[in-house]
Amino acid sequence: MSGAAPAASAKKAVLGGSSHGLLLTALIVAVVAFQLGASMVTPALPEIARELNVAASDVSGAQDLFFLVGGVAGVVLGRLSDRVGRRRILLASMVTMCLGALIAAVAPNVPVLIAGRILQGASGATFPVTYMLLRDTMSPARFGPALGVVTAINGGVGGLDGLIGGVVADTVGFRWIFGAILVVGLAAIALLLRFLPEVAPKSGRPMDWWGATALSAALVCVNLALSKGSEHGWSAPLPLALLAGALVLLLVFWQTEKRRTAPLIAVQHLRSRQVWPLLATTLLTLIGVFSAINFTFVLLSQDGEFGFGMSATLSSLLYLTPPAAIGLLSAPLTGWLAPRTGWLVLLRTGLGLSILVLLVTALLPDNRWLLFGAACALGVAYNGLAMTPLNALGVVVSPKDTPGAVPGINAACFGIGASVGIALVAPAVGTGTLGGVQEALWISVGFTCLALLTACCLRLPKEDTGADL
């Protein structure tokens, strides 16, 4: 990719000896802080509702807003970091995360809790900015393994974060979860101040606030449509109106970008085979595989009528923790292999293997140990071989004039894909039959096949061969 050589030379000028390890440690602590905010709170939602004396549905909105604001922040702040610098944006994100954790920890009611979660969600640029910092400060040989470690954390901290969150909520209360996030966030700030070097802004071009606003508003409409559609039905007026509004806003964004001299991302880039296939592959992959692991597998294992009748704890240990823990090992290995085989080869291999695993699972969904084996296999195929290239390629294919644009939009596609996937398979699983589960798994197979097709359309910039990244 153009700009890779300057990034490498910048690294040599800034880092040396143990500095690489210290910088990576600082970045890992930062992404762990954000990931804990994303994953540790979910199992504590019932406890939060009990302590604040409200219905569970009243506090679930705090979690939805966290991810919604996080998606918008990734798009806006990722691009803004081109102009003001990655270090400043990442530090600001951590400060916001800590402030939100503090507010949530002492929240006396739901509105204050929501305010804290919104502030935490505003740190949603943490992962895409970290990916860009790795590219800016590390050689190609170090970039792959380092990105693999960070990507593995993006899928969960070894699968233990959610489990620990539930245990903490059951024993000492939900406020200690936010206290733990605050401590990790403060540690991240200290480490970043000490070990994250100043990296010159990548672009002096002004921020395209009009384009960012239109795209962010479209993302808000899409997320609200998904939420209201699952709540009121997809034919209800509100979700249909929100989807129509999202379409209009996307058209506004497209027309805005065509007319701006310094767009958020130029239309010719969006139309190129370097960008749209990546965004489509990310979206389709999350729709297909994320929904299977994090929804269909879990509900099948816990249902007492057509499933295995497991407890939530046992279900998590068998079907959620293994893929996350295996991903924690396979993602760095994928990053190490990338300079030797190429990101595209690994991505397509991971998607192909994911299709085979989901296909077998769809044919034989009533075997609990086969499902366990499938979850473990997806830890390699999905969390390792597919997710790591999807994150890396967001940095690799981003235009050299706006390198922060594609990683931010790609990060938003992760969140939207996860939401859409669950919304699509939920009605089938909700039928309460084994046939419904099979239908949901076939939906996952179909979307993962589409992801592989779009991945085959993806091309790297001419300057890159794909095997030296």
Side-chain angles (χ1 to χ4, degrees):
M1 178 182 177
S2 53
S9 62
K11 172 195 175 297
K12 293 176 183 177
V14 175
L15 302 178
S18 62
S19 296
H20 163 266
L22 295 172
L23 170 61
L24 182 57
T25 299
L27 294 174
I28 287 174
V29 175
V31 296
V32 166
F34 178 82
Q35 183 60 34
L36 293 180
S39 55
M40 281 189 76
V41 179
T42 300
L45 290 177
E47 171 60 24
I48 295 174
R50 283 192 293 269
E51 182 158 341
L52 298 182
N53 196 29
V54 296
S57 58
D58 294 331
V59 298
S60 63
Q63 192 74 340
D64 293 339
L65 285 170
F66 172 88
F67 289 107
L68 176 57
V69 174
V72 172
V75 171
V76 176
L77 298 181
R79 172 63 183 87
L80 187 61
S81 71
D82 288 342
R83 180 168 175 79
V84 304
R86 318 275 192 233
R87 186 177 190 268
R88 184 179 298 180
I89 292 296
L90 187 56
L91 282 169
S93 296
M94 285 297 100
V95 170
T96 306
M97 167 64 75
C98 290
L99 180 60
L102 179 60
I103 292 173
V106 299
N109 51 47
V110 172
V112 176
L113 175 71
I114 289 176
R117 290 299 280 164
I118 288 175
L119 282 173
Q120 287 187 294
S123 63
T126 299
F127 273 101
V129 170
T130 296
Y131 296 142
M132 289 183 279
L133 276 167
L134 294 175
R135 179 71 172 187
D136 292 343
T137 60
M138 295 184 180
S139 67
R142 285 176 168 172
F143 170 70
L147 183 132
V149 173
V150 175
T151 297
I153 295 170
N154 197 0
V157 187
L160 299 177
D161 38 353
L163 185 63
I164 293 174
V167 172
V168 170
D170 290 339
T171 54
V172 295
F174 80 89
R175 300 183 189 278
W176 288 91
I177 293 176
F178 294 109
I181 296 170
L182 175 60
V183 170
V184 177
L186 291 173
I189 292 172
L191 290 169
L192 291 172
L193 287 171
R194 177 66 180 85
F195 299 116
L196 179 58
E198 292 283 0
V199 179
K202 295 297 177 181
S203 173
R205 304 173 70 185
M207 178 67 182
D208 175 20
W209 291 109
W210 288 106
T213 300
L215 183 57
S216 298
L219 292 175
V220 170
C221 286
V222 169
N223 280 274
L224 289 176
L226 293 171
S227 174
K228 299 303 180 182
S230 60
E231 181 180 346
H232 301 294
W234 295 106
S235 60
L238 182 56
L240 290 176
L242 287 168
L243 288 174
L247 180 59
V248 170
L249 287 165
L250 287 173
L251 291 174
V252 170
F253 169 72
W254 185 271
Q255 293 300 320
T256 300
E257 299 305 274
K258 287 171 64 175
R259 290 167 171 77
R260 301 288 290 179
T261 56
L264 188 74
I265 180 170
V267 168
Q268 64 264 28
H269 295 315
L270 285 172
R271 286 195 299 233
S272 74
R273 291 180 64 180
Q274 299 172 22
V275 175
W276 75 259
L278 172 65
L279 302 180
T281 301
T282 299
L283 188 70
L284 293 167
T285 300
L286 270 291
I287 291 174
V289 189
F290 180 91
S291 62
I293 297 176
N294 292 276
F295 189 82
T296 307
F297 284 17
V298 173
L299 265 65
L300 173 61
S301 64
Q302 294 184 24
D303 192 275
E305 295 295 327
F306 62 87
F308 311 142
M310 296 180 178
S311 66
T313 300
L314 182 58
S315 172
S316 297
L317 286 173
L318 285 179
Y319 302 116
L320 291 179
T321 300
I326 292 171
L328 196 61
L329 299 175
S330 60
L333 178 60
T334 299
W336 177 80
L337 286 172
R340 297 157 176 81
T341 61
W343 290 112
L344 290 181
V345 172
L346 294 172
L347 172 60
R348 293 162 183 166
T349 301
L351 290 173
L353 291 175
S354 296
I355 291 169
L356 291 176
V357 173
L358 291 172
L359 184 62
V360 172
T361 308
L363 292 171
L364 300 167
D366 55 347
N367 187 316
R368 68 182 63 195
W369 294 112
L370 178 65
L371 195 71
F372 171 75
C376 293
L378 289 172
V380 176
Y382 169 69
N383 286 337
L385 290 172
M387 291 287 283
T388 308
L390 284 175
N391 284 294
L393 289 169
V395 178
V396 170
V397 306
S398 202
K400 63 180 181 180
D401 54 346
T402 54
V406 175
I409 299 174
N410 197 43
C413 288
F414 277 92
I416 293 174
S419 298
V420 171
I422 291 175
L424 288 176
V425 302
V429 179
T431 60
T433 64
L434 190 61
V437 170
Q438 284 187 294
E439 181 183 344
L441 290 170
W442 282 115
I443 291 172
S444 293
V445 170
F447 276 97
T448 311
C449 288
L450 291 176
L452 180 57
L453 288 176
T454 55
C456 290
C457 296
L458 180 61
R459 294 292 181 268
L460 296 183
K462 291 181 180 179
E463 292 88 346
D464 290 328
T465 64
D468 57 350
L469 299 171

